[in-house]
PDB file of all heavy atoms in Angstrom:
ATOM      1  N   PHE A 703      -9.415  25.096  21.046  1.00 97.00           N
ATOM      2  CA  PHE A 703     -10.420  25.605  20.105  1.00 97.00           C
ATOM      3  C   PHE A 703     -11.480  24.569  19.742  1.00 97.00           C
ATOM      4  O   PHE A 703     -12.503  24.908  19.127  1.00 97.00           O
ATOM      5  CB  PHE A 703      -9.756  26.225  18.850  1.00 97.00           C
ATOM      6  CG  PHE A 703      -9.047  25.237  17.938  1.00 97.00           C
ATOM      7  CD1 PHE A 703      -9.759  24.565  16.957  1.00 97.00           C
ATOM      8  CD2 PHE A 703      -7.686  25.009  18.037  1.00 97.00           C
ATOM      9  CE1 PHE A 703      -9.129  23.676  16.092  1.00 97.00           C
ATOM     10  CE2 PHE A 703      -7.037  24.109  17.189  1.00 97.00           C
ATOM     11  CZ  PHE A 703      -7.759  23.451  16.206  1.00 97.00           C
ATOM     12  N   LYS A 704     -11.249  23.319  20.141  1.00 98.00           N
ATOM     13  CA  LYS A 704     -12.250  22.269  19.868  1.00 98.00           C
ATOM     14  C   LYS A 704     -13.185  22.037  21.056  1.00 98.00           C
ATOM     15  O   LYS A 704     -14.114  21.252  20.949  1.00 98.00           O
ATOM     16  CB  LYS A 704     -11.550  20.964  19.523  1.00 98.00           C
ATOM     17  CG  LYS A 704     -10.704  21.009  18.261  1.00 98.00           C
ATOM     18  CD  LYS A 704     -10.085  19.671  17.998  1.00 98.00           C
ATOM     19  CE  LYS A 704      -9.082  19.724  16.865  1.00 98.00           C
ATOM     20  NZ  LYS A 704      -8.296  18.470  16.780  1.00 98.00           N
ATOM     21  N   ILE A 705     -12.905  22.654  22.197  1.00 98.00           N
ATOM     22  CA  ILE A 705     -13.762  22.480  23.361  1.00 98.00           C
ATOM     23  C   ILE A 705     -15.069  23.241  23.095  1.00 98.00           C
ATOM     24  O   ILE A 705     -15.027  24.433  22.772  1.00 98.00           O
ATOM     25  CB  ILE A 705     -13.103  23.031  24.661  1.00 98.00           C
ATOM     26  CG1 ILE A 705     -11.668  22.523  24.812  1.00 98.00           C
ATOM     27  CG2 ILE A 705     -13.968  22.758  25.884  1.00 98.00           C
ATOM     28  CD1 ILE A 705     -11.495  21.132  25.319  1.00 98.00           C
ATOM     29  N   PRO A 706     -16.223  22.580  23.166  1.00 98.00           N
ATOM     30  CA  PRO A 706     -17.483  23.253  22.802  1.00 98.00           C
ATOM     31  C   PRO A 706     -17.672  24.566  23.572  1.00 98.00           C
ATOM     32  O   PRO A 706     -17.466  24.616  24.775  1.00 98.00           O
ATOM     33  CB  PRO A 706     -18.559  22.222  23.167  1.00 98.00           C
ATOM     34  CG  PRO A 706     -17.859  20.915  23.152  1.00 98.00           C
ATOM     35  CD  PRO A 706     -16.438  21.189  23.556  1.00 98.00           C
ATOM     36  N   ASP A 707     -18.110  25.596  22.839  1.00 97.00           N
ATOM     37  CA  ASP A 707     -18.389  26.875  23.475  1.00 97.00           C
ATOM     38  C   ASP A 707     -19.639  26.756  24.332  1.00 97.00           C
ATOM     39  O   ASP A 707     -19.772  27.406  25.349  1.00 97.00           O
ATOM     40  CB  ASP A 707     -18.602  27.956  22.402  1.00 97.00           C
ATOM     41  CG  ASP A 707     -17.357  28.191  21.598  1.00 97.00           C
ATOM     42  OD1 ASP A 707     -16.389  28.736  22.151  1.00 97.00           O
ATOM     43  OD2 ASP A 707     -17.338  27.824  20.389  1.00 97.00           O
ATOM     44  N   ARG A 708     -20.572  25.919  23.851  1.00 96.00           N
ATOM     45  CA  ARG A 708     -21.825  25.754  24.552  1.00 96.00           C
ATOM     46  C   ARG A 708     -22.086  24.271  24.688  1.00 96.00           C
ATOM     47  O   ARG A 708     -21.829  23.502  23.769  1.00 96.00           O
ATOM     48  CB  ARG A 708     -22.939  26.355  23.690  1.00 96.00           C
ATOM     49  CG  ARG A 708     -23.763  27.422  24.410  1.00 96.00           C
ATOM     50  CD  ARG A 708     -24.552  28.191  23.416  1.00 96.00           C
ATOM     51  NE  ARG A 708     -25.857  27.605  23.175  1.00 96.00           N
ATOM     52  CZ  ARG A 708     -26.731  28.074  22.303  1.00 96.00           C
ATOM     53  NH1 ARG A 708     -26.407  29.115  21.547  1.00 96.00           N
ATOM     54  NH2 ARG A 708     -27.888  27.505  22.156  1.00 96.00           N
ATOM     55  N   VAL A 709     -22.610  23.871  25.856  1.00 97.00           N
ATOM     56  CA  VAL A 709     -23.010  22.479  26.023  1.00 97.00           C
ATOM     57  C   VAL A 709     -24.463  22.512  26.470  1.00 97.00           C
ATOM     58  O   VAL A 709     -24.817  23.203  27.412  1.00 97.00           O
ATOM     59  CB  VAL A 709     -22.153  21.769  27.111  1.00 97.00           C
ATOM     60  CG1 VAL A 709     -22.628  20.348  27.318  1.00 97.00           C
ATOM     61  CG2 VAL A 709     -20.674  21.788  26.733  1.00 97.00           C
ATOM     62  N   GLU A 710     -25.322  21.805  25.748  1.00 95.00           N
ATOM     63  CA  GLU A 710     -26.729  21.760  26.130  1.00 95.00           C
ATOM     64  C   GLU A 710     -27.115  20.322  26.440  1.00 95.00           C
ATOM     65  O   GLU A 710     -26.959  19.441  25.601  1.00 95.00           O
ATOM     66  CB  GLU A 710     -27.610  22.279  24.980  1.00 95.00           C
ATOM     67  CG  GLU A 710     -27.295  23.734  24.644  1.00 95.00           C
ATOM     68  CD  GLU A 710     -28.554  24.550  24.456  1.00 95.00           C
ATOM     69  OE1 GLU A 710     -29.669  24.006  24.566  1.00 95.00           O
ATOM     70  OE2 GLU A 710     -28.402  25.749  24.172  1.00 95.00           O
ATOM     71  N   LEU A 711     -27.613  20.129  27.675  1.00 96.00           N
ATOM     72  CA  LEU A 711     -28.078  18.788  28.038  1.00 96.00           C
ATOM     73  C   LEU A 711     -29.515  18.665  27.590  1.00 96.00           C
ATOM     74  O   LEU A 711     -30.355  19.511  27.897  1.00 96.00           O
ATOM     75  CB  LEU A 711     -27.955  18.603  29.555  1.00 96.00           C
ATOM     76  CG  LEU A 711     -26.501  18.686  30.074  1.00 96.00           C
ATOM     77  CD1 LEU A 711     -26.466  18.626  31.590  1.00 96.00           C
ATOM     78  CD2 LEU A 711     -25.636  17.589  29.485  1.00 96.00           C
ATOM     79  N   VAL A 712     -29.816  17.626  26.846  1.00 94.00           N
ATOM     80  CA  VAL A 712     -31.176  17.426  26.340  1.00 94.00           C
ATOM     81  C   VAL A 712     -31.638  16.002  26.639  1.00 94.00           C
ATOM     82  O   VAL A 712     -30.810  15.129  26.914  1.00 94.00           O
ATOM     83  CB  VAL A 712     -31.273  17.709  24.817  1.00 94.00           C
ATOM     84  CG1 VAL A 712     -31.006  19.180  24.518  1.00 94.00           C
ATOM     85  CG2 VAL A 712     -30.284  16.838  24.040  1.00 94.00           C
ATOM     86  N   GLU A 713     -32.955  15.816  26.550  1.00 93.00           N
ATOM     87  CA  GLU A 713     -33.473  14.481  26.849  1.00 93.00           C
ATOM     88  C   GLU A 713     -33.457  13.576  25.632  1.00 93.00           C
ATOM     89  O   GLU A 713     -33.222  12.371  25.725  1.00 93.00           O
ATOM     90  CB  GLU A 713     -34.883  14.576  27.416  1.00 93.00           C
ATOM     91  CG  GLU A 713     -34.860  14.726  28.922  1.00 93.00           C
ATOM     92  CD  GLU A 713     -36.214  15.082  29.477  1.00 93.00           C
ATOM     93  OE1 GLU A 713     -37.220  14.666  28.905  1.00 93.00           O
ATOM     94  OE2 GLU A 713     -36.240  15.833  30.497  1.00 93.00           O
ATOM     95  N   THR A 714     -33.757  14.182  24.497  1.00 91.00           N
ATOM     96  CA  THR A 714     -33.756  13.412  23.248  1.00 91.00           C
ATOM     97  C   THR A 714     -33.206  14.271  22.126  1.00 91.00           C
ATOM     98  O   THR A 714     -33.063  15.472  22.264  1.00 91.00           O
ATOM     99  CB  THR A 714     -35.178  12.985  22.812  1.00 91.00           C
ATOM    100  OG1 THR A 714     -35.967  14.181  22.709  1.00 91.00           O
ATOM    101  CG2 THR A 714     -35.814  12.008  23.759  1.00 91.00           C
ATOM    102  N   PHE A 715     -32.953  13.655  21.000  1.00 90.00           N
ATOM    103  CA  PHE A 715     -32.602  14.382  19.783  1.00 90.00           C
ATOM    104  C   PHE A 715     -33.827  14.405  18.880  1.00 90.00           C
ATOM    105  O   PHE A 715     -34.663  13.510  18.952  1.00 90.00           O
ATOM    106  CB  PHE A 715     -31.447  13.680  19.051  1.00 90.00           C
ATOM    107  CG  PHE A 715     -30.112  13.837  19.726  1.00 90.00           C
ATOM    108  CD1 PHE A 715     -29.131  12.869  19.581  1.00 90.00           C
ATOM    109  CD2 PHE A 715     -29.829  14.988  20.472  1.00 90.00           C
ATOM    110  CE1 PHE A 715     -27.902  13.019  20.186  1.00 90.00           C
ATOM    111  CE2 PHE A 715     -28.582  15.130  21.077  1.00 90.00           C
ATOM    112  CZ  PHE A 715     -27.617  14.143  20.945  1.00 90.00           C
ATOM    113  N   PRO A 716     -33.932  15.409  18.036  1.00 83.00           N
ATOM    114  CA  PRO A 716     -35.052  15.409  17.094  1.00 83.00           C
ATOM    115  C   PRO A 716     -34.850  14.314  16.041  1.00 83.00           C
ATOM    116  O   PRO A 716     -34.022  14.467  15.171  1.00 83.00           O
ATOM    117  CB  PRO A 716     -34.977  16.799  16.466  1.00 83.00           C
ATOM    118  CG  PRO A 716     -33.574  17.253  16.656  1.00 83.00           C
ATOM    119  CD  PRO A 716     -33.038  16.551  17.869  1.00 83.00           C
ATOM    120  N   TYR A 717     -35.548  13.214  16.239  1.00 70.00           N
ATOM    121  CA  TYR A 717     -35.430  12.144  15.242  1.00 70.00           C
ATOM    122  C   TYR A 717     -36.467  12.350  14.165  1.00 70.00           C
ATOM    123  O   TYR A 717     -37.642  12.449  14.420  1.00 70.00           O
ATOM    124  CB  TYR A 717     -35.569  10.764  15.898  1.00 70.00           C
ATOM    125  CG  TYR A 717     -34.405  10.465  16.785  1.00 70.00           C
ATOM    126  CD1 TYR A 717     -34.510  10.560  18.161  1.00 70.00           C
ATOM    127  CD2 TYR A 717     -33.162  10.152  16.242  1.00 70.00           C
ATOM    128  CE1 TYR A 717     -33.419  10.294  18.981  1.00 70.00           C
ATOM    129  CE2 TYR A 717     -32.066   9.902  17.035  1.00 70.00           C
ATOM    130  CZ  TYR A 717     -32.200   9.969  18.409  1.00 70.00           C
ATOM    131  OH  TYR A 717     -31.116   9.721  19.196  1.00 70.00           O
ATOM    132  N   THR A 718     -35.978  12.439  12.962  1.00 55.00           N
ATOM    133  CA  THR A 718     -36.894  12.689  11.838  1.00 55.00           C
ATOM    134  C   THR A 718     -37.308  11.355  11.247  1.00 55.00           C
ATOM    135  O   THR A 718     -36.488  10.501  10.979  1.00 55.00           O
ATOM    136  CB  THR A 718     -36.206  13.529  10.743  1.00 55.00           C
ATOM    137  OG1 THR A 718     -35.002  12.875  10.414  1.00 55.00           O
ATOM    138  CG2 THR A 718     -35.915  14.932  11.227  1.00 55.00           C
ATOM    139  N   GLY A 719     -38.641  11.219  11.052  1.00 54.00           N
ATOM    140  CA  GLY A 719     -39.156  10.022  10.410  1.00 54.00           C
ATOM    141  C   GLY A 719     -38.912   8.770  11.227  1.00 54.00           C
ATOM    142  O   GLY A 719     -38.622   8.821  12.415  1.00 54.00           O
ATOM    143  N   VAL A 720     -39.009   7.635  10.586  1.00 52.00           N
ATOM    144  CA  VAL A 720     -38.791   6.376  11.311  1.00 52.00           C
ATOM    145  C   VAL A 720     -37.413   5.831  11.034  1.00 52.00           C
ATOM    146  O   VAL A 720     -36.742   6.224  10.111  1.00 52.00           O
ATOM    147  CB  VAL A 720     -39.853   5.325  10.896  1.00 52.00           C
ATOM    148  CG1 VAL A 720     -41.065   5.415  11.797  1.00 52.00           C
ATOM    149  CG2 VAL A 720     -40.213   5.456   9.422  1.00 52.00           C
TER     150      VAL A 720
END
Side-chain angles (χ1 to χ4, degrees):
F703 68 86
K704 297 181 188 170
I705 311 282
D707 296 292
R708 236 165 90 183
V709 178
E710 299 224 0
L711 298 175
V712 294
E713 270 168 33
T714 56
F715 286 152
Y717 291 104
T718 53
V720 270

